[in-house]
Amino acid sequence: MPNEAARAEQVQLQHRKLTRLKFIRRILFMIIGSALFSVGLEIFLVPNNIIDGGVVGISIIASHLTHIPLGIFLVVLNLPFLLLGYKQIGKTFALSTLFSVILMSIGSSLLHPVQAITIDPLLAAVFGGIILGIGVGLVIRSGGSLDGTEIVAILFSKKSPFSVGEIVMFFNFFILGSAGFVFGWDHAMYSLIAYYIAFKMIDITIEGLDQSKSVWIISDEYEKIGEAITFRLGRGVTYLKGEGAFTGDDKKVIFSVITRLEEAKLKSIVDELDSKAFLAIGNIHDVKGGRFKKKDIH
């Protein structure tokens, strides 16, 4: 029917428009993230002989020893890992990473002649780590990466008992340690500071300050606690049926989702109403659907 065909075409056009907007937003975040990474690298870390982990750290050391521009190493050393990622992880991830790495390389080349903001290695490590971490976090949120060692870690983790984070840390232990032989051990320690700060900033950028947390509470005062969470925090509550393994007694389990900023208040509520209640709080990387949005309670 003509009306149905027109409606279907309209829905398809809306879907394409939404997809195009998401694509533009993703590209914009990759550009901003790569630019920030270049700033952190060339304005703070490299002039003070401080390195980052992974391929970037290897590239900084190689550029220092050979006097070949850093941007060239950033692309060349990442290419083998990108080929692995293309075959094993996916086309979109590999192309997004390639795009981000090329932007990072161009940014590094353009900013290399620019004078460093500070020659204090501690300030450079702190602020360079912050800017670096935000840049990487934005790129990761957009579906890409700025370091090929993460691809290797993902592949190794599938065939080993170690997590991606543990494998990356193992690689970086040797990379950051090698900075001591090239730049001196003081600079190696500053590199560790920069790496740690960047690592934390990546988490904050990806998850945000409003990182979601799941809450599980077992208490005989479940009704009072549930009402307090609803009316004092404005969060929805679900009651689950449970059974004590040792006693066999029926238990009510309170389940809710809150933000990191509300954690302290929730603990205060539970302690106030039942100091002996069982309380478990865990991190959640993504929340979708339901009624998670905070309700205004009047």
Side-chain angles (χ1 to χ4, degrees), residues 153-154 157 162-172 195 199:
I154 291 170
S157 67
F162 301 105
S163 68
V164 173
E166 288 170 338
I167 295 170
V168 170
M169 187 66 73
F170 178 77
F171 284 138
N172 287 332
Y195 175 75
F199 182 80

Side-chain angles (χ1 to χ4, degrees), residues 26-27 30 34 55 74-75 78-79 81-83 85-86 89-105 139-140 142-151 154:
R26 177 177 292 184
I27 293 296
M30 286 182 186
S34 301
V55 172
L74 290 173
V75 174
N78 269 301
L79 281 178
F81 302 114
L82 290 174
L83 289 173
Y86 184 86
I89 299 176
K91 179 181 177 181
T92 303
F93 175 77
L95 291 177
S96 298
T97 302
L98 177 62
F99 177 69
S100 301
V101 168
I102 291 173
L103 288 175
M104 174 179 64
S105 175
V139 172
I140 292 175
S142 305
S145 176
L146 285 171
D147 199 295
T149 53
E150 294 170 6
I151 297 172
I154 291 170

Side-chain angles (χ1 to χ4, degrees), residues 48-50 121-122 125 179-180 183-193:
N48 289 282
N49 292 329
I50 298 171
L122 181 58
F183 300 116
W185 294 107
D186 285 351
H187 290 279
M189 287 185 279
Y190 286 126
S191 297
L192 283 171
I193 293 172

Side-chain angles (χ1 to χ4, degrees), residues 10-26:
Q10 185 179 3
V11 170
Q12 189 175 12
L13 287 171
Q14 287 176 349
H15 176 70
R16 286 178 182 173
K17 185 178 180 182
L18 181 64
T19 303
R20 191 179 296 117
L21 287 173
K22 285 185 176 180
F23 177 76
I24 293 171
R25 184 169 176 262
R26 177 177 292 184

